[in-house]
Amino acid sequence: MAAGVDYSDIDIAPYIEHALLIPTASPQQVEQWCEEVDKFHFATVCINPVHVKQAAELLHGKTAKVCTVIGFPMGATTSSVKLYEAQEAVENGATELDVVMNLGWLKSGKTNEVHREIAEICEATGQVVKVILETNLLTEPEKRLAAEIILDAGAAFLKTSTGWNGGATVADVRLLKEIAGERVGIKASGGIRTIQQALELIQAGATRLGTSRGVELLRERTENKQQGSVVY
């Protein structure tokens, strides 16, 4: 545990990106998620691009940001399509973009293409760009290489996972934090189901948590405190 930080009492709400990325999400669910984001003071609502305009209208004048995903979940659409998708999302009101990196390019050594794709989105949109590495599909050398490319391209966050190929691990968050230091944020995403997991990821260096279970995490935290349980 880091010196001087009491993880047992940290407010996790500002870390949470309240995610609704299921393909069957309805406008009614988007409205519910936005209401919860505002009520519990989460960092963002994270929704698919088709819902961005609705979420932006619902959260207009609120503190929470509207985040959407680009090239999700495979990252294998063309660079021009990703760029258009990102620009359209910003026009519709998104201020944070979670972009899935092209894993095939990275694994085949096309590092210039990976860099160019991310850099173009960062420059063209001027918004907060978080790049999804999909760490569960990468070797440690590939994770290090990907992180350095993303940092050089100008992204604001390294993000672990889409959640479609496994989720965030403490080891991966710690590795990304080691590489990035204080230069960018670290978003842990996928499989965060308990307050214990959430606090361990924050302790490892996560500055954002992508989860659809934000409300449940807060409820579990409250119940633990009422029962006198200490969770680190």
Side-chain angles (χ1 to χ4, degrees):
M1 184 178 298
V5 179
D6 183 4
Y7 287 95
S8 68
D9 199 41
I10 195 168
D11 180 10
I12 69 164
Y15 288 81
I16 292 174
E17 298 200 24
H18 200 28
L20 180 64
L21 296 171
I22 57 174
T24 55
S26 67
Q28 291 76 24
Q29 286 176 298
V30 173
E31 183 174 359
Q32 176 188 338
W33 253 244
C34 288
E35 289 174 354
E36 291 170 347
V37 163
D38 184 46
K39 176 180 178 180
F40 296 108
H41 307 292
F42 294 149
T44 79
V45 65
C46 187
I47 34 79
N48 284 309
V50 70
H51 302 299
V52 166
K53 188 173 290 187
Q54 180 192 2
E57 291 172 355
L58 290 168
L59 291 174
H60 180 71
K62 308 291 186 180
T63 303
K65 307 298 183 183
V66 176
C67 173
T68 194
V69 287
I70 305 299
F72 189 85
M74 298 300 179
T77 46
T78 64
S79 294
S80 59
V81 168
K82 282 185 183 177
L83 181 59
Y84 178 84
E85 188 176 28
Q87 291 174 314
E88 183 183 48
V90 171
E91 289 172 3
N92 286 337
T95 58
E96 301 198 4
L97 307 169
D98 287 16
V99 181
V100 186
M101 182 185 65
N102 189 312
L103 297 173
W105 280 352
L106 182 81
K107 285 181 171 289
S108 59
K110 295 185 176 182
T111 55
N112 288 338
E113 286 86 343
V114 175
H115 183 281
R116 185 182 305 113
E117 180 173 274
I118 301 303
E120 284 180 350
I121 292 172
C122 291
E123 183 177 353
T125 64
Q127 302 298 328
V128 171
V129 172
K130 312 185 203 90
V131 180
I132 305 172
L133 285 75
E134 204 69 297
T135 47
N136 290 287
L137 300 182
L138 302 178
T139 64
E140 182 170 327
E142 288 170 341
K143 293 171 192 176
R144 291 183 177 276
L145 175 60
E148 292 295 349
I149 292 171
I150 292 164
L151 291 170
D152 191 64
F157 281 79
L158 301 175
K159 178 177 173 181
T160 60
S161 324
T162 61
W164 288 65
N165 295 287
T169 67
V170 167
D172 280 336
V173 169
R174 190 174 289 126
L175 175 65
L176 296 181
K177 183 64 176 178
E178 173 200 322
I179 298 166
E182 301 301 322
R183 288 182 286 174
V184 299
I186 307 295
K187 180 175 176 180
S189 186
I192 305 172
R193 297 183 177 87
T194 69
I195 191 65
Q196 179 79 39
Q197 286 176 293
L199 293 172
E200 288 175 351
L201 291 165
I202 292 171
Q203 181 182 346
T207 55
R208 293 279 186 86
L209 302 173
T211 177
S212 61
R213 296 180 58 82
V215 176
E216 288 86 347
L217 294 179
L218 294 187
R219 185 180 299 119
E220 181 187 353
R221 191 65 180 282
T222 299
E223 290 172 354
N224 286 340
K225 289 184 177 181
Q226 290 173 344
Q227 295 168 4
S229 302
V230 178
V231 179
Y232 292 99

